[in-house]
Amino acid sequence: MGIIKNAVSEDIKKQKDELQMEKEQYGDSKYEQAFKKYNLNVNEDEVREAVKKIIAEKVPENDTIDVKKFLLGSVELTSLHTTDTDESILALTEKVNKFDATYPDLPHVAAICVYPRFTELVAKSLEVDGVEITNVSGNFPSSQSRMEVKIAETQLCIADGATNIDIVLPVGKFLSEDYEGVADDINELKEVCGDVPMKVILETCDLGSLSNVKKAAILSMYAGADYIKTSTGKEKAGATPEGVYVMCQAIKEYYDETGIQIGIKPAGGINTVMDAVILYTIVKEVLGEKWLTNYWFRLGTSRLTNLLLSEIVGKETKWF
């Protein structure tokens, strides 16, 4: 075992040395050049204070029925359980189908988000115009399979009817500072997606710092992300106000630099209506009204949908 371990360590060292030699010979990669356009040294104390100020001064004005209706229409109604069955996913889809007739004055959800094996079932059963079919793809939630597997899975998702694709940033490559490798993964999957919008899940809780969150956001956008998303919901934590604030800053700076608008999807750990109102307020304050549509702003959640509906109609309601 010691011989194998030493051989692997030597291989890793050799790869790093080769990368350093290439850098010295050819200069920074286009992604490292892109990093230089942005301030990636995030002051976490300043972010916490900025978020605290937004919550204290701006959230109360957004704690309204109209905002809650907007948030309901931005939900990607999610079922990503080991126990999911054809029957449970069909039942979820039927609830979305019947919602319009029961609540004609309320917006329907923005999307149904499921595992790839249920895509065709949802596509054949969904009757409501304007509800997207989102698939988690590319070896969700770890992003640790071979690239050929990620590509094949994503191709099958789209062939089966997925209209949005959510992939996971290869966090291990990112933490090893293989930024070119991260970007290549994202770019290859975006080529597969074509015009189908692709979200890149940063898995912010695993990145170690808000500076890394911003760097991962910038890298993902330059590599082809149409949205950046906080979390898979499968790790130790989900969306945080601070993480969303930094991601919004990155989106704004990228938009100012390139003119390209990128969407945002907080997901994971959005447990209360107030959590959602706080995230809405951060997006509004940092990015502005242009992002306050159910195309550019999405919420990945399961439990929140009934909570929003209950507050809107004024009584406890368990529709979904």
Side-chain angles (χ1 to χ4, degrees):
M1 283 295 290
I3 294 171
I4 294 172
K5 185 177 179 181
N6 289 338
V8 171
S9 298
E10 284 299 317
D11 284 344
I12 293 171
K13 183 178 183 301
K14 184 180 178 183
Q15 289 171 11
K16 288 185 175 180
D17 288 344
E18 287 173 353
L19 285 170
Q20 183 61 33
M21 286 173 64
E22 285 181 15
K23 186 173 179 179
E24 290 170 1
Q25 184 176 357
Y26 300 111
D28 291 336
S29 72
K30 64 179 179 179
Y31 301 108
E32 288 169 320
Q33 291 172 22
F35 288 155
K36 292 179 179 179
K37 298 177 182 179
Y38 302 90
N39 177 15
L40 300 178
N41 294 315
V42 177
N43 185 311
E44 302 208 358
D45 289 334
E46 288 180 3
V47 169
R48 279 190 287 271
E49 286 305 311
V51 168
K52 195 181 296 184
K53 190 171 190 291
I54 288 172
I55 291 173
E57 297 180 3
K58 300 295 183 179
V59 165
E61 68 192 47
N62 294 318
D63 188 11
T64 68
I65 294 298
D66 283 344
V67 167
K68 290 164 189 174
K69 287 180 180 178
F70 168 81
L71 291 170
L72 178 64
S74 295
V75 163
E76 296 207 2
L77 185 61
T78 301
S79 189
L80 297 172
H81 307 296
T82 304
T83 53
D84 287 342
T85 63
D86 288 355
E87 291 78 12
S88 66
I89 298 302
L90 181 59
L92 183 69
T93 307
E94 284 302 312
K95 288 175 183 177
V96 173
N97 288 339
K98 293 175 181 175
F99 184 85
D100 266 359
T102 308
Y103 298 98
D105 298 328
L106 296 182
H108 54 64
V109 295
I112 297 173
C113 180
V114 294
Y115 280 118
R117 93 163 189 86
F118 298 109
T119 314
E120 189 174 10
L121 174 65
V122 176
K124 288 180 176 178
S125 308
L126 184 61
E127 299 169 358
V128 184
D129 291 338
V131 176
E132 304 285 354
I133 302 171
T134 299
N135 270 184
V136 291
S137 185
N139 193 225
F140 176 94
S142 71
S143 191
Q144 292 284 21
S145 70
R146 291 169 61 103
M147 199 63 209
E148 295 89 342
V149 175
K150 296 181 185 182
I151 288 170
E153 183 178 40
T154 305
Q155 288 171 331
L156 289 167
C157 289
I158 294 169
D160 283 348
T163 58
N164 276 204
I165 295 291
D166 289 13
I167 68 165
V168 183
L169 178 106
V171 175
K173 286 185 181 180
F174 180 87
L175 295 175
S176 296
E177 300 183 8
D178 180 11
Y179 304 129
E180 196 81 31
V182 172
D184 286 348
D185 276 22
I186 294 169
N187 188 253
E188 283 192 58
L189 289 173
K190 180 55 191 169
E191 286 184 10
V192 174
C193 289
D195 293 333
V196 173
M198 185 184 79
K199 308 182 194 81
V200 176
I201 305 168
L202 306 186
E203 202 68 282
T204 52
C205 67
D206 287 337
L207 295 180
S209 69
L210 292 178
S211 292
N212 273 348
V213 169
K214 189 169 185 182
K215 180 178 278 190
I218 295 293
L219 181 60
S220 297
M221 291 186 286
Y222 271 92
D226 297 298
Y227 293 72
I228 50 175
K229 176 179 170 181
T230 59
S231 320
T232 62
K234 303 297 184 183
E235 285 289 300
K236 54 185 177 285
T240 66
E242 292 78 14
V244 172
Y245 180 89
V246 169
M247 289 166 67
C248 286
Q249 282 187 316
I251 289 171
K252 185 176 189 308
E253 291 174 25
Y254 180 81
Y255 179 73
D256 291 343
E257 177 69 30
T258 68
I260 299 170
Q261 187 170 3
I262 301 294
I264 187 162
K265 181 180 174 182
I270 307 172
N271 296 318
T272 68
V273 171
M274 185 50 64
D275 288 342
V277 172
I278 287 169
L279 298 177
Y280 167 92
T281 305
I282 290 168
V283 171
K284 181 180 179 181
E285 292 303 311
V286 180
L287 290 173
E289 297 284 343
K290 191 171 184 177
W291 271 263
L292 296 182
T293 74
N294 78 339
Y295 182 87
W296 295 110
F297 178 78
R298 297 281 178 83
L299 290 167
T301 182
S302 53
R303 65 178 67 86
L304 180 67
T305 322
N306 282 330
L307 297 176
L308 282 166
L309 184 58
S310 296
E311 292 210 8
I312 292 166
V313 302
K315 61 179 181 180
E316 185 177 6
T317 305
K318 295 181 179 179
W319 180 266
F320 294 103

